[in-house]
Short mmCIF file of all heavy atoms in Angstrom, two decimals:
data_model
loop_
_atom_site.label_atom_id
_atom_site.label_comp_id
_atom_site.label_asym_id
_atom_site.label_seq_id
_atom_site.Cartn_x
_atom_site.Cartn_y
_atom_site.Cartn_z
N ALA A 79 82.14 91.50 76.88
CA ALA A 79 82.88 91.61 78.10
C ALA A 79 82.56 92.97 78.76
O ALA A 79 82.46 93.07 79.98
CB ALA A 79 84.35 91.46 77.86
N VAL A 80 82.42 94.01 77.94
CA VAL A 80 82.13 95.29 78.48
C VAL A 80 80.73 95.36 79.06
O VAL A 80 80.52 95.92 80.20
CB VAL A 80 82.19 96.38 77.34
CG1 VAL A 80 81.68 97.79 77.85
CG2 VAL A 80 83.61 96.51 76.84
N LEU A 81 79.77 94.73 78.46
CA LEU A 81 78.48 94.60 78.96
C LEU A 81 78.49 93.83 80.33
O LEU A 81 77.74 94.23 81.29
CB LEU A 81 77.48 93.94 78.07
CG LEU A 81 77.12 94.78 76.80
CD1 LEU A 81 76.29 93.94 75.80
CD2 LEU A 81 76.40 96.04 77.24
N ARG A 82 79.20 92.74 80.41
CA ARG A 82 79.23 91.95 81.61
C ARG A 82 79.89 92.77 82.73
O ARG A 82 79.47 92.71 83.90
CB ARG A 82 79.95 90.67 81.35
CG ARG A 82 79.17 89.65 80.52
CD ARG A 82 79.87 88.26 80.59
NE ARG A 82 81.17 88.28 79.97
CZ ARG A 82 81.41 88.13 78.69
NH1 ARG A 82 80.36 87.93 77.84
NH2 ARG A 82 82.70 88.15 78.17
N ALA A 83 80.93 93.50 82.38
CA ALA A 83 81.59 94.38 83.40
C ALA A 83 80.69 95.35 83.96
O ALA A 83 80.66 95.60 85.19
CB ALA A 83 82.84 95.03 82.74
N ARG A 84 79.86 95.95 83.06
CA ARG A 84 78.92 96.96 83.57
C ARG A 84 77.84 96.35 84.44
O ARG A 84 77.45 96.92 85.48
CB ARG A 84 78.30 97.71 82.36
CG ARG A 84 77.40 98.84 82.81
CD ARG A 84 76.90 99.59 81.52
NE ARG A 84 76.15 100.80 81.92
CZ ARG A 84 75.59 101.67 81.08
NH1 ARG A 84 75.83 101.52 79.79
NH2 ARG A 84 74.92 102.69 81.49
N GLU A 85 77.39 95.16 84.04
CA GLU A 85 76.40 94.47 84.76
C GLU A 85 76.84 94.15 86.24
O GLU A 85 76.07 94.30 87.19
CB GLU A 85 76.01 93.18 84.13
CG GLU A 85 74.94 92.36 84.89
CD GLU A 85 74.60 91.02 84.13
OE1 GLU A 85 75.12 90.80 83.07
OE2 GLU A 85 73.87 90.26 84.70
N PHE A 86 78.12 93.81 86.36
CA PHE A 86 78.68 93.42 87.68
C PHE A 86 79.46 94.56 88.31
O PHE A 86 80.20 94.38 89.31
CB PHE A 86 79.52 92.20 87.55
CG PHE A 86 78.77 90.91 87.23
CD1 PHE A 86 78.73 90.50 85.91
CD2 PHE A 86 78.01 90.27 88.17
CE1 PHE A 86 78.03 89.30 85.57
CE2 PHE A 86 77.32 89.13 87.86
CZ PHE A 86 77.33 88.62 86.58
N GLU A 87 79.24 95.79 87.84
CA GLU A 87 79.91 96.99 88.32
C GLU A 87 81.44 96.82 88.41
O GLU A 87 82.09 97.11 89.41
CB GLU A 87 79.35 97.34 89.69
CG GLU A 87 77.86 97.71 89.65
CD GLU A 87 77.28 98.06 91.03
OE1 GLU A 87 77.96 97.82 92.07
OE2 GLU A 87 76.22 98.68 91.05
N MET A 88 81.98 96.35 87.32
CA MET A 88 83.45 96.13 87.16
C MET A 88 83.97 97.07 86.06
O MET A 88 83.25 97.36 85.14
CB MET A 88 83.77 94.67 86.87
CG MET A 88 83.32 93.73 87.95
SD MET A 88 84.29 93.85 89.45
CE MET A 88 85.83 93.13 88.85
N PRO A 89 85.22 97.44 86.10
CA PRO A 89 85.80 98.24 84.99
C PRO A 89 85.86 97.34 83.73
O PRO A 89 86.20 96.14 83.81
CB PRO A 89 87.17 98.65 85.49
CG PRO A 89 87.45 97.65 86.58
CD PRO A 89 86.21 97.28 87.15
N PRO A 90 85.77 97.93 82.58
CA PRO A 90 85.78 97.13 81.31
C PRO A 90 87.22 96.70 80.89
O PRO A 90 87.28 95.72 80.14
CB PRO A 90 85.20 98.04 80.24
CG PRO A 90 85.45 99.45 80.82
CD PRO A 90 85.33 99.33 82.30
N LEU A 91 88.22 97.31 81.39
CA LEU A 91 89.63 96.91 81.01
C LEU A 91 90.17 95.97 82.09
O LEU A 91 90.22 96.32 83.27
CB LEU A 91 90.48 98.13 80.84
CG LEU A 91 90.11 99.11 79.77
CD1 LEU A 91 91.14 100.26 79.67
CD2 LEU A 91 90.00 98.41 78.39
N LYS A 179 79.26 105.35 78.36
CA LYS A 179 78.79 104.05 78.98
C LYS A 179 79.54 103.65 80.20
O LYS A 179 79.27 102.69 80.84
CB LYS A 179 78.87 102.95 77.90
CG LYS A 179 77.95 103.10 76.77
CD LYS A 179 77.99 101.96 75.79
CE LYS A 179 77.03 102.15 74.59
NZ LYS A 179 77.13 100.99 73.61
N LEU A 180 80.49 104.47 80.64
CA LEU A 180 81.22 104.21 81.87
C LEU A 180 80.38 104.59 83.09
O LEU A 180 79.65 105.58 83.03
CB LEU A 180 82.58 104.98 81.90
CG LEU A 180 83.60 104.56 80.92
CD1 LEU A 180 84.82 105.50 81.04
CD2 LEU A 180 84.01 103.14 81.17
N THR A 181 80.42 103.80 84.04
CA THR A 181 79.64 104.03 85.26
C THR A 181 80.60 103.88 86.48
O THR A 181 81.63 103.19 86.46
CB THR A 181 78.50 103.06 85.42
OG1 THR A 181 79.03 101.74 85.38
CG2 THR A 181 77.52 103.22 84.24
N PRO A 182 80.23 104.47 87.63
CA PRO A 182 81.03 104.33 88.89
C PRO A 182 81.25 102.87 89.25
O PRO A 182 80.33 102.08 89.14
CB PRO A 182 80.23 105.10 89.93
CG PRO A 182 79.37 106.03 89.15
CD PRO A 182 79.05 105.30 87.87
N VAL A 183 82.46 102.51 89.71
CA VAL A 183 82.78 101.21 90.15
C VAL A 183 82.81 101.19 91.64
O VAL A 183 82.14 100.38 92.25
CB VAL A 183 84.15 100.75 89.54
CG1 VAL A 183 84.50 99.45 90.14
CG2 VAL A 183 84.06 100.70 88.02
N ALA A 184 83.62 102.04 92.26
CA ALA A 184 83.70 102.14 93.74
C ALA A 184 84.54 103.36 94.03
O ALA A 184 85.18 103.94 93.13
CB ALA A 184 84.43 100.86 94.28
N ASP A 185 84.51 103.83 95.26
CA ASP A 185 85.33 105.00 95.65
C ASP A 185 86.80 104.64 95.49
O ASP A 185 87.31 103.59 95.80
CB ASP A 185 85.04 105.34 97.12
CG ASP A 185 83.67 105.81 97.36
OD1 ASP A 185 83.24 106.75 96.66
OD2 ASP A 185 83.00 105.24 98.22
N VAL A 187 88.41 104.11 92.65
CA VAL A 187 88.64 103.13 91.57
C VAL A 187 88.29 103.68 90.26
O VAL A 187 87.19 104.21 90.07
CB VAL A 187 87.85 101.84 91.87
CG1 VAL A 187 88.02 100.81 90.72
CG2 VAL A 187 88.21 101.23 93.17
N CYS A 188 89.20 103.58 89.32
CA CYS A 188 88.99 104.08 87.94
C CYS A 188 87.89 103.27 87.27
O CYS A 188 87.92 102.00 87.25
CB CYS A 188 90.28 104.08 87.18
SG CYS A 188 90.12 104.42 85.40
N PRO A 189 86.90 103.95 86.69
CA PRO A 189 85.82 103.22 86.03
C PRO A 189 86.31 102.64 84.66
O PRO A 189 85.52 101.81 84.15
CB PRO A 189 84.81 104.36 85.76
CG PRO A 189 85.62 105.60 85.60
CD PRO A 189 86.74 105.40 86.66
N SER A 190 87.47 102.99 84.16
CA SER A 190 87.91 102.31 82.95
C SER A 190 88.79 101.07 83.18
O SER A 190 88.58 100.01 82.58
CB SER A 190 88.76 103.24 82.15
OG SER A 190 87.99 104.36 81.65
N CYS A 191 89.74 101.19 84.18
CA CYS A 191 90.70 100.09 84.25
C CYS A 191 90.78 99.62 85.69
O CYS A 191 91.52 98.62 85.96
CB CYS A 191 92.12 100.53 83.74
SG CYS A 191 92.96 101.63 84.88
N GLY A 192 90.13 100.25 86.55
CA GLY A 192 90.26 99.78 88.08
C GLY A 192 91.44 100.29 88.81
O GLY A 192 91.68 99.88 89.90
#
Side-chain angles (χ1 to χ4, degrees):
V80 171
L81 287 175
R82 288 192 296 275
R84 185 173 185 178
E85 178 182 356
F86 292 101
E87 297 183 343
M88 299 289 289
L91 298 181
K179 293 183 179 180
L180 291 177
T181 56
V183 175
D185 294 306
V187 176
C188 171
S190 291
C191 74

